[in-house]
Amino acid sequence: MNLPTAQSTQVIVVSNSSDNPFAIDVAYAMNQREDIADLISMKQFMNTEFCPRFISDEADFDHIGRTLKGKSVIIVSTGSHIKSRQELAMANLIIARAAKENGAERVILVEPDLFYSAQDRGPYQDSGQTHLERDIHDVKKFDGQPFTAKLYAQLLKLSGVDTVMTIHNHSESVQKIFSDVFEGDFHNLIPYQIYAHYLLNSNILTYGKDGEGLVLCAPDKGAREFVKEMFRSLGLSKAKFIMLDKERTAERKVDITLHKESEHTFDGLEGSSIILFDDMVRTGSTVVKSCQFLQQIKPQRMVFAVTHFYASDEGRERMAHPTIDEILTLNTLPTILNRDEQGRLRKKMVVLKVEKWLAQELLTLLNLPQAQQQEANPYKIDMSSKNPRFKRKISFSEELSELK
């Protein structure tokens, strides 16, 4: 879908790196045809300090410094192999300040995988909100550390950021902090419909017309609401929903059980297709343990769906375990598309690319007329030809029906 060109005159999409392919695709989906590198110069001084500059004619002294007056500037920020998150975060602050000092009316930070979200609590009872009451052991875990998520939110606000948009943030504490700091102008997008469309229109899982033989699984109570909403989004009345419980018995040791509040038990689930949902994966140990625990159902197929896939080398090696048949994820961390990095794990991975979806959400947020022309399922598909389900190369969601 090509959007009208009028939109780009009042909205400028940039990034904290001039060659960020994710940002370039978001900009293109919003019909910005200028290269990011032609809109902002990523200047660096000899002492390595970063000094971005929104491009202008330096000989035009009547307009220099006012090139963004009344415009909205969108900063698309993702992780990178080239720069650390610390460098990227600092670049966000400086670019936001440059935008505001050049007259921007609104600065929007789009950070699909929100930086510093792991550091969502501090060393005091009231430093961070959790769904469980914090005991002294939880408080002491953070003794001597900064409450970095809160600091990052405050620095973004101070720098000139007005709005923050992210995808499937896992932390209640982070969500509350950002909502408070940005006075409600914090948008945590959950890709229910993207997951649902792929699950309903591909052959990644086998189940009956009304969901017979399909089991949705939450790995813990924290994921319960997300998986329940996924259940509703699928609209399969005969599917089942189970919830696991994990108890951390040591720093890197977890025991998995069926949660006492699980909607269903294992009775009658033998031979089902199971999809385990989570928001993120790092080491992969809990995921593999959960899938091993679920083997007692003797599943026909086991799929792990995760929004943020930033596993370590160790994690990728773990998730090559045969208990996981396939991994469904998004490209919130663009390095997921690097085949060399994923290695043999690529053959069991499907990546749903969400740049156009984000662009449409931004058009709606900005209340632009083009938001009325949205696509129903704005994502692309990346799958290795080594995946056993691969039939032929497809890219767009609407092509899925051609494979059935």
Side-chain angles (χ1 to χ4, degrees):
M1 176 180 71
N2 291 321
L3 300 174
T5 56
Q7 179 268 324
S8 62
T9 60
Q10 286 303 110
V11 178
I12 292 177
V13 182
V14 297
S15 180
N16 44 19
S17 171
S18 58
D19 60 351
N20 181 337
F22 189 96
I24 291 167
D25 284 349
V26 170
Y28 189 83
M30 295 188 73
N31 212 49
Q32 176 173 290
R33 295 300 179 254
E34 299 93 338
D35 287 341
I36 287 173
D38 291 332
L39 295 171
I40 186 170
S41 168
M42 305 297 184
K43 187 168 70 171
Q44 186 167 290
F45 292 129
M46 288 296 294
N47 62 2
T48 75
E49 290 178 0
F50 176 61
C51 180
R53 186 170 193 176
F54 286 90
I55 304 298
S56 64
D57 183 352
E58 295 185 15
D60 184 356
F61 293 105
D62 291 330
H63 298 97
I64 194 166
R66 306 189 189 103
T67 59
L68 301 178
K69 188 174 181 181
K71 295 185 180 181
S72 293
V73 173
I74 299 169
I75 306 169
V76 180
S77 168
T78 64
S80 163
H81 274 323
I82 299 170
K83 294 183 179 179
S84 70
R85 288 194 170 209
Q86 285 68 243
E87 291 176 287
L88 295 169
M90 191 66 188
N92 288 336
L93 304 178
I94 298 174
I95 291 169
R97 178 55 61 91
K100 274 300 175 73
E101 291 184 355
N102 277 271
E105 183 177 309
R106 186 177 187 182
V107 176
I108 301 170
L109 175 68
V110 177
E111 203 157 72
D113 175 38
L114 193 59
F115 294 176
Y116 299 106
S117 290
Q119 294 158 284
D120 63 350
R121 303 194 290 285
Y124 301 100
Q125 289 281 359
D126 59 350
S127 299
Q129 179 174 304
T130 65
H131 65 280
L132 299 173
E133 186 175 344
R134 298 186 69 192
D135 58 22
I136 188 63
H137 300 290
D138 184 69
V139 172
K140 291 300 288 182
K141 276 198 306 185
F142 298 89
D143 196 15
Q145 295 183 23
F147 189 2
T148 324
K150 187 173 184 178
L151 173 64
Y152 186 48
Q154 292 171 332
L155 287 172
L156 288 170
K157 185 69 174 177
L158 180 65
S159 71
V161 173
D162 301 292
T163 305
V164 174
M165 180 180 284
T166 191
I167 297 176
H168 199 173
N169 184 267
H170 73 287
S171 170
E172 292 178 19
S173 177
V174 169
Q175 292 168 39
K176 185 176 188 308
I177 290 163
F178 273 77
S179 291
D180 288 347
V181 170
F182 290 93
E183 300 174 337
D185 206 353
F186 170 66
H187 306 269
N188 184 31
L189 308 178
I190 313 292
Y192 298 119
Q193 293 304 321
I194 288 177
Y195 280 134
H197 184 269
Y198 188 77
L199 293 173
L200 290 169
N201 291 278
S202 71
N203 62 345
I204 192 170
L205 292 165
T206 304
Y207 52 85
K209 179 173 68 73
D210 296 313
E212 301 93 334
L214 175 64
V215 177
L216 276 65
C217 181
D220 53 40
K221 196 169 182 178
R224 183 183 208 164
E225 290 308 311
F226 168 65
V227 182
K228 282 179 77 172
E229 186 57 39
M230 276 304 314
F231 190 93
R232 288 190 284 268
S233 297
L234 287 170
L236 299 171
S237 59
K238 294 184 180 178
K240 304 295 184 185
F241 178 22
I242 58 176
M243 181 168 64
L244 305 182
D245 197 9
K246 57 187 178 187
E247 181 183 356
R248 197 167 292 279
T249 55
E251 182 64 27
R252 302 194 72 178
K253 187 175 180 182
V254 174
D255 287 339
I256 307 295
T257 59
L258 183 67
H259 201 290
K260 61 183 180 182
E261 297 177 19
S262 178
E263 274 75 353
H264 295 95
T265 66
F266 286 176
D267 292 345
L269 300 186
E270 188 167 318
S272 297
S273 290
I274 303 176
I275 180 162
L276 175 72
F277 286 97
D278 213 346
D279 57 333
M280 70 170 76
V281 60
R282 289 196 182 100
T283 67
S285 58
T286 303
V287 173
V288 172
K289 280 183 176 292
S290 297
C291 291
Q292 288 174 319
F293 176 75
L294 291 165
Q295 288 302 306
Q296 59 191 285
I297 299 176
K298 297 186 173 68
Q300 179 188 29
R301 188 164 173 76
M302 177 81 68
V303 171
F304 174 48
V306 59
T307 300
H308 305 296
F309 189 99
Y310 48 105
S312 59
D313 291 341
E314 175 189 24
R316 285 188 288 272
E317 187 175 334
R318 280 201 182 109
M319 283 182 288
H321 197 282
T323 56
I324 303 175
D325 292 303
E326 204 154 353
I327 298 168
L328 180 65
T329 188
L330 308 185
N331 65 328
T332 57
L333 295 124
T335 54
I336 192 70
L337 299 169
N338 185 317
R339 286 163 169 75
D340 291 334
E341 180 174 321
Q342 305 311 328
R344 289 178 299 168
L345 198 62
R346 279 285 304 171
K347 69 182 181 181
K348 63 163 69 176
M349 291 179 66
V350 179
V351 183
L352 307 182
K353 302 173 69 177
V354 295
E355 294 95 330
K356 184 174 282 190
W357 175 62
L358 268 178
Q360 292 192 171
E361 293 292 335
L362 285 163
L363 291 171
T364 300
L365 179 69
L366 290 162
N367 198 29
L368 292 167
Q370 293 85 345
Q372 307 304 315
Q373 305 170 36
Q374 292 189 350
E375 290 182 24
N377 304 293
Y379 67 90
K380 292 184 179 181
I381 302 160
D382 183 88
M383 177 194 285
S384 169
S385 59
K386 300 297 184 184
N387 187 307
R389 289 193 303 115
F390 184 88
K391 292 182 179 178
R392 67 173 179 81
K393 179 71 174 175
I394 67 168
S395 296
F396 299 95
S397 58
E398 59 264 28
E399 295 179 86
L400 284 171
S401 60
E402 299 173 17
L403 299 181
K404 288 194 170 181

